[in-house]
Amino acid sequence: MAVSGFEGFEKRLELHFFGDDNDPTVTTMGLRLLDFESLENVLRVVQCTVVSAVGNHFFDAYVLSESSLFVYPTKIIIKTCGTTQLLKSIRPLIHLAKNLGLTICGCRYTRGTFIFPKSQPFPHINFKQEVIYIEENLPNNLCFRKASVMPSKNPSYSWHVFSSASDNGAHFSDGEFTVEVCMTELDRVLARKFFKTGGDSAAKEMTDLTGIGNINPRALICDFVFDPCGYSMNGVDGDRYSTIHVTPEDGFSYASFEYVGSVYDDQDDIVETLKKAVQVFKPATVSVSTTSHRREVWTRVAHAMEPLGLKCRSFAMDEFPTAGTVVFQTFTAARRK
């Protein structure tokens, strides 16, 4: 293991807002009315920038210098890696939303266990500090709050969750689920494909060559290659996003895959999507977190991993205010203990 390197494990923040339902501007555009300069100012505080962007009728997706940003009318998701200070975005985002007539009603923060925790700046030095910082920056109307560290058999793989909500009812859609996949010890041959070799079309070539484009053929893909290595992409499919980020360097190789689905989809789709994503990297270790109000989502995860020679090593479950059930599972290649 390298003494220090690039921190692949992301921090993820999801904020939900509400406004006047009788105002069509709020329901159709809302946060999407934020001008680019305002978003850039928030990202500057976090210490990252926009490198590529795409949007559709439902939301806007930005590839960042450190991961991704998704802006919906009443929801914003920021995911950043490295030594970014993600939580510093909470206060300015609440302020910007307020100027649009939107009030925060839900917050969820998740992350894995950092590979290089000593390199993290304030307020990300440890989870306790992160929770204190979040709580200091949230208004009092978010009165239902819970923080939890979900364990696994390997202390290097814990899942950290903070969730809070106001009493304005459920803010995380009942039928929607989120899957967050973290992969380490990537297959070395496959990881080499994420080192830049081409010119302007390098990102598209990487997407095609690695099989990432086949994970969801319906998605519009916005991709970006970093110099000398590393890759990010956002997929846009109707009102749903998917995102992949890759740190391919040997010794601290890491890839993440996240996507949103619906419990009303064909359940086999969950299995196939996960299988395709994990096969791109053939990692030795995988952790999968599912957030959903329905049981059938997490039960499908093992069905996706087992055919790839990945064995479930740990399982943890917890309930969070209005966010639903979070299930955290870890898998390792069967050849490894």
Side-chain angles (χ1 to χ4, degrees), residues 12-286:
R12 180 188 184 279
L13 179 69
E14 181 173 336
L15 301 176
H16 288 244
F17 299 85
F18 74 97
D20 183 355
D21 287 339
N22 297 319
D23 183 351
T25 314
V26 169
T27 50
T28 58
M29 289 302 291
L31 295 164
R32 298 181 73 186
L33 293 171
L34 291 173
D35 60 90
F36 187 64
E37 190 181 351
S38 296
L39 288 174
E40 278 196 308
N41 288 339
V42 174
L43 294 172
R44 196 172 293 123
V45 173
V46 174
Q47 297 189 330
C48 59
T49 56
V50 172
V51 295
S52 191
V54 69
N56 68 4
H57 180 65
F58 299 98
F59 70 104
D60 300 309
Y62 301 87
V63 176
L64 306 179
S65 53
E66 273 87 1
S67 304
S68 293
L69 164 68
F70 303 99
V71 183
Y72 289 79
T74 59
K75 174 174 72 175
I76 195 159
I77 297 157
I78 313 188
K79 188 169 183 168
T80 63
C81 55
T83 54
T84 48
Q85 294 168 289
L86 175 62
L87 295 178
K88 288 189 174 182
S89 66
I90 295 175
R91 194 179 286 257
L93 285 172
I94 291 172
H95 176 73
L96 288 169
K98 199 172 184 180
N99 291 342
L100 294 172
L102 293 164
T103 304
I104 189 166
C105 59
C107 168
R108 185 162 87 229
Y109 174 67
T110 54
R111 69 166 174 86
T113 300
F114 297 127
I115 302 171
F116 307 109
K118 289 189 170 71
S119 301
Q120 289 299 316
F122 175 85
H124 298 282
I125 291 165
N126 56 53
F127 187 55
K128 184 179 178 183
Q129 185 187 76
E130 289 173 317
V131 171
I132 291 168
Y133 187 87
I134 297 169
E135 296 207 302
E136 284 175 348
N137 284 279
L138 290 179
N140 293 332
N141 69 307
L142 271 69
C143 49
F144 302 108
R145 302 182 179 192
K146 180 172 178 177
S148 178
V149 179
M150 303 178 73
S152 75
K153 286 181 180 172
N154 183 341
S156 303
Y157 291 89
S158 298
W159 192 244
H160 305 71
V161 185
F162 173 88
S163 182
S164 66
S166 65
D167 55 7
N168 286 37
H171 311 296
F172 303 97
S173 170
D174 279 352
E176 195 176 272
F177 64 82
T178 306
V179 180
E180 296 170 71
V181 183
C182 302
M183 298 168 270
T184 55
E185 296 174 78
L186 312 183
D187 178 275
R188 288 184 181 188
V189 174
L190 296 177
R192 291 300 304 174
K193 292 181 180 178
F194 295 95
F195 280 75
K196 189 173 182 180
T197 53
D200 292 344
S201 61
K204 188 184 183 311
E205 287 169 10
M206 213 172 265
T207 299
D208 295 339
L209 179 72
T210 58
I212 285 171
N214 295 327
I215 296 170
N216 177 4
R218 296 186 308 272
L220 168 66
I221 289 179
C222 179
D223 43 24
F224 191 85
V225 175
F226 296 91
D227 206 358
C229 66
Y231 169 92
S232 286
M233 84 80 167
N234 291 332
V236 172
D237 179 14
D239 62 351
R240 302 178 197 173
Y241 69 86
S242 57
T243 184
I244 288 177
H245 303 285
V246 189
T247 303
E249 292 97 321
D250 203 27
F252 50 95
S253 64
Y254 171 85
S256 68
F257 170 64
E258 177 182 334
Y259 83 107
V260 171
S262 168
V263 295
Y264 307 112
D265 294 345
D266 183 338
Q267 293 302 298
D268 289 338
D269 284 357
I270 302 171
V271 175
E272 285 309 306
T273 301
L274 278 174
K275 267 168 74 173
K276 285 181 190 173
V278 174
Q279 275 177 309
V280 168
F281 306 101
K282 292 188 178 160
T285 306
V286 183

